Amino acid sequence: MISALLTYVENKEIAIPEIQRPFVWNASKVRDLIDSLYRGYPVGYIVTWQNPDMKSKDGKSSSGKKILIDGQQRITALTAAILGKAVKNTEYEDVHIKIAFNPKERKFEVSNPAIQKDVTWISDIAPFLSGQKRLREVREEYCSSNPDLDQDEIEDVLEELKAIKNRQVGVIQLNGSLDIDAVTSIFIRINSQGVPLSQADFVMSKIAANETYGGNLLRKCIDHFSHLSVKPEFFSSLKANDKEFVDSEYFRQLLG
């Protein structure tokens, strides 16, 4: 269930390994995922790997954790839209993606200033779906602003919205005896069936998976160097938002 996956994330029982790409979805794609879950459409499988020792994105060992091999974009989108968590974009900046819901039309949209002023919309579903607000509170707030609507009908619609967290998502767990090379190959093959990874993505996945030579930071160095070469103004954002890299020898070499 979605709720179980989000509990794993909040309890840090799911680790995101360095072979994964950064969060690249735009807000509209997050909206579409939530809409698909609401309507009961399939959203694909999540693939995890139970491995005793692998470095995750926070630089710590993922011993005893479920390592997310495929599904990072979906998991990250769910934590943003349902839990209201900030996500790091490709500029390493923390951003909030708020999804709005119109109970009357049963429609989702990316929240914006116009929607926030429109009483027919719930401008952010996260407080309700995360449990910060109870159904009765949300219903009363909405119906007080839309007195022509039937409260019982709105309550039914809100129950349907809340049921998103009970949707089933398939989870495939890879054998813990697989080594990192095998798992990286699986990651590449899975992703090549959807939005194709470029040859550069293949290489970066393999680099990031190399624990012996610090593949995590080397991958970041290549990423950042490439980014800075075409967008020098990225430097201030990098310095402010990626402390691990700033404290590394690679950063000092970039400065030199």
Side-chain angles (χ1 to χ4, degrees), residues 10 12 18 90 97 105 112 119 128 140 161 177 184 186 202 214 216 229 242:
E10 289 196 287
K12 302 187 184 302
E18 279 297 339
T90 54
I97 300 174
E105 299 182 4
N112 59 48
V119 297
F128 174 49
E140 290 177 352
L161 175 62
S177 64
T184 300
I186 291 171
F202 289 0
N216 169 25
S229 67
D242 193 353

Side-chain angles (χ1 to χ4, degrees), residues 119-139:
V119 297
T120 64
W121 288 86
I122 296 172
S123 62
D124 184 6
I125 62 174
F128 174 49
L129 292 185
S130 66
Q132 294 177 36
K133 285 189 173 183
R134 294 185 177 181
L135 188 149
R136 177 183 295 180
E137 180 183 358
V138 176
R139 183 201 65 196

Side-chain angles (χ1 to χ4, degrees), residues 151-203:
Q151 289 201 21
D152 291 337
E153 182 179 346
I154 293 302
E155 181 167 337
D156 289 342
V157 174
L158 292 175
E159 287 281 11
E160 293 172 358
L161 175 62
K162 189 176 181 180
I164 284 176
K165 294 182 67 176
N166 297 325
R167 298 296 189 198
Q168 295 291 333
V169 176
V171 178
I172 298 173
Q173 183 160 310
L174 301 179
N175 193 316
S177 64
L178 293 172
D179 61 25
I180 182 61
D181 286 336
V183 173
T184 300
S185 295
I186 291 171
F187 166 75
I188 290 171
R189 181 168 296 187
I190 288 171
N191 281 276
S192 67
Q193 301 305 310
V195 178
L197 293 167
S198 67
Q199 289 184 341
D201 288 320
F202 289 0
V203 172

Side-chain angles (χ1 to χ4, degrees), residues 17-254:
E18 279 297 339
I19 62 173
Q20 287 280 23
R21 292 173 287 178
F23 186 68
V24 296
W25 278 15
N26 58 34
S28 295
K29 200 159 185 177
V30 178
R31 174 205 61 201
D32 291 346
L33 174 65
I34 296 299
D35 184 69
S36 293
L37 289 169
Y38 178 74
R39 300 180 190 286
Y41 297 166
V43 296
Y45 285 90
I46 302 296
V47 182
T48 65
W49 175 38
Q50 196 78 34
N51 184 267
D53 187 21
M54 181 178 175
K55 189 175 291 183
S56 59
K57 279 192 175 294
D58 60 7
K60 300 176 182 178
S61 169
S62 57
S63 179
K65 297 180 180 180
K66 294 176 176 64
I67 299 170
L68 188 61
I69 299 303
D70 187 58
Q72 179 190 353
Q73 305 299 313
R74 282 166 289 164
I75 291 290
T76 306
L78 291 172
T79 62
I82 294 179
L83 299 182
K85 304 288 187 183
V87 298
K88 284 194 182 295
N89 62 18
T90 54
E91 300 288 317
Y92 288 86
E93 297 170 333
D94 287 329
V95 296
H96 286 275
I97 300 174
K98 296 180 180 180
I99 303 301
F101 179 64
N102 187 317
K104 186 176 180 179
E105 299 182 4
R106 291 174 169 82
K107 179 181 177 182
F108 293 91
E109 192 50 83
V110 178
S111 192
N112 59 48
I115 283 177
Q116 291 165 15
K117 295 176 182 178
D118 188 337
V119 297
T120 64
W121 288 86
I122 296 172
S123 62
D124 184 6
I125 62 174
F128 174 49
L129 292 185
S130 66
Q132 294 177 36
K133 285 189 173 183
R134 294 185 177 181
L135 188 149
R136 177 183 295 180
E137 180 183 358
V138 176
R139 183 201 65 196
E140 290 177 352
E141 285 180 359
Y142 188 78
C143 289
S144 67
S145 300
N146 298 272
D148 57 315
L149 299 179
D150 182 88
Q151 289 201 21
D152 291 337
E153 182 179 346
I154 293 302
E155 181 167 337
D156 289 342
V157 174
L158 292 175
E159 287 281 11
E160 293 172 358
L161 175 62
K162 189 176 181 180
I164 284 176
K165 294 182 67 176
N166 297 325
R167 298 296 189 198
Q168 295 291 333
V169 176
V171 178
I172 298 173
Q173 183 160 310
L174 301 179
N175 193 316
S177 64
L178 293 172
D179 61 25
I180 182 61
D181 286 336
V183 173
T184 300
S185 295
I186 291 171
F187 166 75
I188 290 171
R189 181 168 296 187
I190 288 171
N191 281 276
S192 67
Q193 301 305 310
V195 178
L197 293 167
S198 67
Q199 289 184 341
D201 288 320
F202 289 0
V203 172
M204 295 295 273
S205 292
K206 295 294 285 184
I207 289 173
N210 192 307
E211 295 277 319
T212 304
Y213 296 101
N216 169 25
L217 284 175
L218 179 56
R219 179 196 64 80
K220 281 190 174 186
C221 183
I222 297 170
D223 275 345
H224 294 330
F225 178 80
S226 300
H227 201 156
L228 288 167
S229 67
V230 296
K231 190 178 180 182
E233 61 269 26
F234 172 64
F235 180 80
S236 58
S237 177
L238 166 62
K239 190 174 182 180
N241 297 305
D242 193 353
K243 188 176 185 304
E244 178 193 25
F245 184 73
V246 169
D247 290 341
S248 73
E249 181 62 30
Y250 288 115
F251 181 72
R252 291 186 284 275
Q253 290 295 324
L254 285 182

